[in-house]
Amino acid sequence: MKIASWNVNSLNVRLPHLEQWLRGFAPDVVGLQETKLEDARFPDAVLAGLGYRSVFAGQKTYNGVAILSREPAQDVQVGIPGFDDEQRRVIAATVGDVRIVNLYVVNGQDVGTDKYAYKLRWLDAVHGWLGEELNRHPKLVVLGDFNIAPDARDVHDPLVWNEDHILTSTAERAALGRLQALGLHDAFRLHNQEAGIFSWWDYRAAGFRRDLGLRIDLTLVSDALRPVAAEAGIDREPRTWERPSDHAPAWVRLGS
């Protein structure tokens, strides 16, 4: 099973890219973030024509998440249970015998702001929920735009992206570490220890051409899936296309 995550940064704009990528990369499951579409406008029929069933939770202009799968998704959960939040940032579903949790983690704006405090509360709520999900679903993949670069290898300049900077601050990385301590493993790092491989590049200052990026799009696999996480990586190609998302897809392949 090939499972991917992609922040498309507006499905309305990037639908042709998604169609092209699905045909070429042919994942079995994809978690999308920042669809920025109300549910009534989600291109369900278009994606069904490519062989994908869709479950989704969207809103106008902001946020929005979806899971596309070749097999119908079951037991769909929208939002974090018990956490009151109008923002559409979370969707989970079971595909085959694997539970998929798709997260669009809060950006946080800047360290010390109200949005930063909200990000930490949000991550704490996710932690409590994922502990319960792991008990129910040992075969668990948590993927998405985490808006956290795990360590210095995952940023183009560790002196800038330091413990006091948004996306790399001590508290954010500690929150990600707590999620991983539940028994979740960064699939990319199971296979690659190299620094300087990124999934996001700012549109400004020729960020992609100069490779000034961050690795903030992650696929985390549970203890039960770690032995079968055969490959993982970042597909940079869609970032080279005209009018691209600022993110590239992250992926993991389960199986021998």
Side-chain angles (χ1 to χ4, degrees):
M1 181 184 285
K2 191 188 293 185
I3 302 170
S5 172
W6 193 6
N7 180 324
V8 292
N9 191 13
S10 176
L11 189 51
N12 186 50
V13 174
R14 243 64 70 176
L15 181 58
H17 285 193
L18 178 61
E19 292 178 79
Q20 179 179 347
W21 182 74
L22 290 173
R23 290 189 185 100
F25 195 76
D28 298 291
V29 182
V30 187
L32 303 179
Q33 305 89 41
E34 278 204 278
T35 56
K36 299 182 179 180
L37 284 177
E38 295 169 298
D39 287 350
R41 296 182 59 217
F42 192 89
D44 198 14
V46 173
L47 296 170
L50 295 173
Y52 290 90
R53 311 289 185 90
S54 305
V55 294
F56 44 88
Q59 61 190 101
K60 187 177 180 179
T61 308
Y62 301 103
N63 306 318
V65 285
I67 295 173
L68 318 181
S69 56
R70 295 193 183 277
E71 291 185 46
Q74 307 292 332
D75 190 17
V76 178
Q77 167 70 42
V78 173
I80 307 165
F83 186 75
D84 187 17
D85 190 1
E86 295 181 354
Q87 298 191 34
R88 298 301 197 187
R89 293 182 171 275
V90 176
I91 190 166
T94 301
V95 180
D97 63 349
V98 177
R99 185 68 169 170
I100 308 291
V101 175
N102 179 17
L103 304 177
Y104 174 42
V105 176
V106 180
N107 176 277
Q109 188 180 44
D110 203 0
V111 174
T113 64
D114 289 345
K115 290 182 179 179
Y116 181 78
Y118 162 57
K119 180 176 191 173
L120 297 180
R121 290 196 305 274
W122 192 94
L123 286 165
D124 188 57
V126 168
H127 177 273
W129 173 49
L130 288 183
E132 298 172 359
E133 285 289 278
L134 277 164
N135 287 332
R136 290 192 293 266
H137 307 281
K139 294 183 178 181
L140 180 70
V141 176
V142 182
L143 53 77
D145 175 0
F146 277 73
N147 269 314
I148 303 170
D151 62 48
R153 294 171 295 175
D154 301 310
V155 303
H156 68 88
D157 187 346
L159 294 179
V160 173
W161 298 94
N162 57 37
E163 63 271 13
D164 298 316
H165 201 293
I166 193 67
L167 311 188
T168 57
S169 72
T170 300
E172 290 168 279
R173 284 175 165 169
L176 177 59
R178 286 193 295 274
L179 295 183
Q180 292 181 266
L182 292 169
L184 296 169
H185 309 274
D186 184 344
F188 180 81
R189 289 295 176 212
L190 295 179
H191 299 280
N192 193 322
Q193 300 304 314
E194 184 180 350
I197 299 177
F198 308 128
S199 66
W200 172 85
W201 301 260
D202 200 322
Y203 288 128
R204 298 168 293 183
F208 183 69
R209 180 175 60 79
R210 300 167 64 200
D211 204 22
L212 306 180
L214 305 177
R215 189 175 71 92
I216 56 176
D217 301 88
L218 310 178
T219 57
L220 308 181
V221 297
S222 64
D223 286 335
L225 292 177
R226 178 176 180 169
V228 296
E231 295 179 275
I234 309 293
D235 184 5
R236 289 171 57 103
E237 183 182 353
R239 188 62 172 82
T240 69
W241 297 342
E242 187 176 357
R243 295 188 71 203
S245 170
D246 46 353
H247 294 255
W251 59 272
V252 58
R253 183 175 64 84
L254 305 180
S256 57

